[in-house]
Amino acid sequence: MSRILSQTKSAAVNPLKSSQPLGAALAFLGVEGAMPLFHGSQGCTSFALVLLVRHFKEAIPLQTTAMDEVTTILGGADNLEEAILNIKARTKPKLIGVCTTALVETRGEDTAGDVADIRLKRAQDLPGTEIVLANTPDFEGAIEEGWAKAVTAMIERLTRPGEQVRQSKKIAILPGWNLTVADIEHLRDMIENFGLEPVILPDVSGSLDGTVPERWVATTYGGTSVEGIRELGTAQYCIAIGEHMRRSAEVLRKVTGVPYVLFQSLTGLKSTDRFASLLSAISGEPVPAGVRRRRAQLQDALLDGHFHFGGKKIAIAAEPDQLYQLATFFIGMGCEIAAAVTTTDMSKILEKVPAQSVQIGDLGDLETLGANADLLVTHSHGRQAAERLGIPLMRVGFPVFDRLGSQHKPTILYQGTRDLVFEVANIFQANRQAPTHDELYPLGKRETPDGPRPPPLTRP
């Protein structure tokens, strides 16, 4: 069991985490026809928008209630109502996802009551638009908690309650925030190969997959449909991916009775085998030949790549579930976790991270603890530490803004694990230091009665 070390610094040095509201907005972006709305100041929204645009390289729909000094004192209910009505009139969204910020949370506003009043008072102005509230103060948690709260709020608000007729081939998938667009697409393909019908919430592969719509769309133009969220209770099973999605799966089970299975990671041979076995049991079908072929490819990649991993020291800074995902991958390849840094201590998964200790901190802690590592693993803000230490950087998580295609890199199941093996092995090969003459011939300078012994290649 890992020791969890609390943060003791008064200020963050090169911050690691992103805020809860940003995580909630990212989850709402995985719903078709959605518009995330930050209830707070314009600055909060602008900062999140910049990070999202730089990471995805896409136009991101995101709005704000634009609270100022006066509304901060008198209350933001009017701003919230005006923003919702303006969004409805201009963009006609199917869902408005309200994400609270520290401004209204610190003030102690009853945002849930305000949203309920708006629904009741403005019902005739909001036909066909659902309003979902996620309470996501910036001053606690991080992107992981914000994502999970938004998913839970959508289930509580939209999913039809009570036991319903189950569709034997339908399964609900609740992916963690750290799954990329390529991961979601790969996950769907594998499930469909078993003859099953997945409903994925949220589905960022439908809205943030880098495609160009035929016409301008002011909201998200793909993702999980609102009707699909309503009908989650007709699924035979629910599969949650990541410890932070446990709460969402439990709420779905409480509301509809749909049983769930939690996978703390889908990276690696063993966890993917377990996932494939579950799909085979649910569908009643054998594992398809294409899936078995990808498993064989991963086995070959493990054989080819393990020479480059053995004994390497890895320093990782990531959100708790992604930290666990990556740490278990590297340990399985024969590496050592030299430093493990994460954003919050709110997840139980931290106790299972295969490292001596997990530091709650920032990228300054990663730079200090990982000074002797062979590889730094974190998002793009870790590039300065990597340059100062002279250690290669593997970019993962959010944000990755100085490389293209981060969302199209698979990291889970057989194919994603295989690609991870290749990526890391190639980094090690590209940064391998050529041995010096003294390292090749450590005895070449031994003293002899006639003076220093000459190197073997220069002996007469």
Side-chain angles (χ1 to χ4, degrees), residues 437 443-456 458-459:
H437 182 275
L443 303 180
K445 291 187 177 181
R446 286 188 305 171
E447 293 291 332
T448 65
D450 301 324
R453 188 177 180 177
T458 60
R459 290 178 189 171

Side-chain angles (χ1 to χ4, degrees), residues 122-192:
R122 296 290 190 172
Q124 72 278 7
D125 299 316
L126 299 170
T129 297
E130 293 285 353
I131 304 173
V132 176
L133 169 65
N135 289 103
T136 52
D138 305 67
F139 49 74
E140 66 178 18
I143 191 172
E144 190 172 279
E145 288 79 19
W147 171 283
K149 285 183 177 181
V151 176
T152 303
M154 285 188 279
I155 294 172
E156 290 176 331
R157 172 64 188 170
L158 302 177
T159 301
R160 187 174 290 113
E163 294 280 348
Q164 300 165 47
V165 177
R166 304 280 177 78
Q167 300 178 24
S168 60
K169 297 296 185 179
K170 181 178 179 180
I171 58 173
I173 305 294
L174 304 180
W177 79 273
N178 52 306
L179 269 62
T180 66
V181 166
D183 286 335
I184 301 295
E185 292 175 341
H186 186 32
L187 186 65
R188 179 188 292 104
D189 290 343
M190 183 169 181
I191 294 170
E192 290 177 346

Side-chain angles (χ1 to χ4, degrees), residues 346-401:
M346 301 175 70
S347 177
K348 294 181 179 179
I349 197 65
L350 295 178
E351 298 176 354
K352 297 184 179 182
V353 173
Q356 290 186 350
S357 62
V358 176
Q359 176 68 57
I360 311 300
D362 51 36
L363 293 175
D365 296 309
L366 179 71
E367 186 171 352
T368 300
L369 299 172
N372 296 319
D374 297 296
L375 179 66
L376 297 187
V377 182
T378 188
H379 53 61
S380 289
H381 289 302
R383 67 196 188 283
Q384 297 97 335
E387 291 171 0
R388 285 190 288 266
L389 295 174
I391 299 174
L393 172 66
M394 176 182 172
R395 291 163 172 82
V396 299
F398 180 92
V400 177
F401 50 77

